[in-house]
Amino acid sequence: VSFPRNLLEAVKGEPVAVEALVQNTMGRNVLAEVSLSGDTETQVRTIEVAAGDTAKVAFVFTPWRAGFQTLRAELKPTPGDTRHDNDVDFVGVTVDEPDVFRLLYLGAHFSWEYKFLRLLADSNEQLSLACVIRAGETSYYSQGLPETEKADGFPREQGLYNQFDAVLMDTR
């Protein structure tokens, strides 16, 4: 297994396509299981590679922190393969900060702080503001969240919080 490139570039929070190549040097077709590992996530793909051929394996990686990261592609040992030194490869990923700072505001009620942040975000293209605010005993107001999230309470999914650079919580 190998990566066709030595270095990839990505933006924090945005998916990037990662491609690995699997070469079969055996005299028979092989069912290969390839895994891609990053900071926290591991993805696994199974492909069939014809004898003496090379196949591409595609992954989608979403970095949630900026900076340099290393991805690892590993081929599960195949029966009959006597060379295990080429069953793993690494690629560097340079992850840049996005052009927009994403802020999630969680509030127990509507307040002047939220109104000020909304005015600031509306007048500044480098600030994106999403919110979930408790408007009543059982009602919530939300804006700027993905459509899959309903405004029936405060978000519980960890992945949703990863999409933001900061979370501001008003508990008054």
Side-chain angles (χ1 to χ4, degrees):
V1 66
S2 63
F3 288 105
R5 298 173 57 193
N6 292 331
L7 184 66
L8 300 173
E9 293 181 2
V11 176
K12 182 175 97 173
E14 296 181 12
V16 62
V18 179
E19 191 176 88
L21 302 174
V22 178
Q23 184 178 12
N24 181 1
T25 58
M26 295 198 231
R28 61 179 170 82
N29 292 357
V30 174
L31 200 59
E33 185 175 301
V34 182
S35 64
L36 179 76
S37 303
D39 281 349
T40 57
E41 151 185 16
T42 299
Q43 302 174 35
V44 179
R45 303 278 189 275
T46 303
I47 61 166
E48 184 172 359
V49 186
D53 200 8
T54 301
K56 293 179 182 180
V57 184
F59 297 94
V60 176
F61 169 68
T62 305
W64 293 113
R65 66 173 177 84
F68 186 79
Q69 298 181 35
T70 303
L71 297 179
R72 170 188 171 133
E74 185 173 6
L75 182 65
K76 183 177 178 181
T78 306
D81 182 13
T82 56
R83 286 196 59 206
H84 298 291
D85 62 326
N86 59 1
D87 289 351
V88 66
D89 195 18
F90 299 90
V91 65
V93 183
T94 303
V95 182
D96 295 326
E97 287 285 348
D99 292 336
V100 175
F101 187 83
R102 294 176 290 228
L103 176 64
L104 174 61
Y105 178 86
L106 303 175
H109 63 281
F110 284 97
S111 65
W112 286 105
E113 287 83 3
Y114 171 71
K115 293 175 186 175
F116 170 75
L117 285 172
R118 172 59 44 210
L119 288 171
L120 182 64
D122 289 345
S123 66
N124 188 341
E125 63 187 34
Q126 291 182 314
L127 179 63
S128 171
L129 177 64
C131 72
V132 177
I133 301 172
R134 185 175 178 197
E137 287 293 320
T138 59
S139 62
Y140 291 83
Y141 169 78
S142 71
Q143 182 180 17
L145 293 179
E147 291 184 23
T148 57
E149 291 293 319
K150 294 183 180 177
D152 58 354
F154 293 109
R156 290 175 168 62
E157 286 291 319
Q158 177 68 31
L160 176 76
Y161 291 101
N162 285 340
Q163 299 176 24
F164 296 94
D165 297 303
V167 177
L168 180 63
M169 188 179 300
D170 182 2
T171 59
R172 292 177 287 154

